[in-house]
Amino acid sequence: MRITHILLAATMAATTLPSLAQVSVNINVPGIVQLPPPAPRYESLPRPRSGQVWVPGRWQWNERAYAWRPGYFVAARPDYAYAPGQWVRADGGWRWRDGDWRRAERRDRRHRDDRYERHDRHHGHDDGYHCPPGQAKKGRC
């Protein structure tokens, strides 16, 4: 009878111990890599090609480890500039943000407009001209 009490107490103790253990859950969010990417490798830039844009190499995650993907050329798009992709911190890990095409600014037109605006802004003002608060820092006076 005494042995049955001991066995019953041991069984109850064994069933309650796992419930006291800490539970660790690792949720894999698609597109999130827990390990930070290594530092980028140095790639010597090839000679420019007409009508082509160089996309720099990058570290690519292959579900187990990072693998280096070398740079390559893509066809240029008129009036667009290529913004390369990058690894960014997100949701407790790292996510790759793909490169994309952004509208290129017309620097010559913008420079010409700024020059005329600067001339108009200061032209014709006498010594009593007052710049409103905060506008000088923004370059408007």
Side-chain angles (χ1 to χ4, degrees):
M1 184 83 165
R2 189 143 169 85
I3 293 179
T4 56
H5 287 297
I6 294 173
L7 287 174
L8 182 61
T11 304
M12 289 180 65
T15 58
T16 58
L17 280 177
S19 65
L20 297 176
Q22 183 178 3
V23 177
S24 175
V25 178
N26 187 7
I27 299 173
N28 289 331
V29 178
I32 299 292
V33 179
Q34 298 301 318
L35 297 172
R41 284 187 180 174
Y42 171 76
E43 285 185 316
S44 60
L45 293 175
R47 288 192 302 198
R49 294 182 186 172
S50 178
Q52 300 282 309
V53 174
W54 177 254
V55 176
R58 68 178 182 101
W59 288 106
Q60 187 172 359
W61 180 253
N62 67 6
E63 301 303 321
R64 280 183 259 153
Y66 285 100
W68 181 254
R69 179 179 181 189
Y72 55 95
F73 281 102
V74 295
R77 293 176 58 185
D79 298 328
Y80 284 85
Y82 184 76
Q86 62 183 345
W87 283 100
V88 293
R89 286 203 77 110
D91 302 325
W94 295 86
R95 179 185 302 268
W96 175 253
R97 182 183 303 155
D98 286 330
D100 62 347
W101 293 93
R102 297 188 180 148
R103 201 87 153 114
E105 292 183 12
R106 298 287 184 171
R107 290 176 188 253
D108 56 333
R109 186 177 61 200
R110 189 182 75 215
H111 178 70
R112 188 173 54 244
D113 291 346
D114 285 348
R115 189 176 65 230
Y116 288 127
E117 184 180 318
R118 252 192 327 268
H119 180 266
D120 290 344
R121 189 183 320 146
H122 295 293
H123 186 63
H125 293 297
D126 59 351
D127 290 277
Y129 175 72
H130 173 68
C131 183
Q135 298 302 309
K137 287 183 180 178
K138 295 177 183 175
R140 296 183 182 157
C141 296

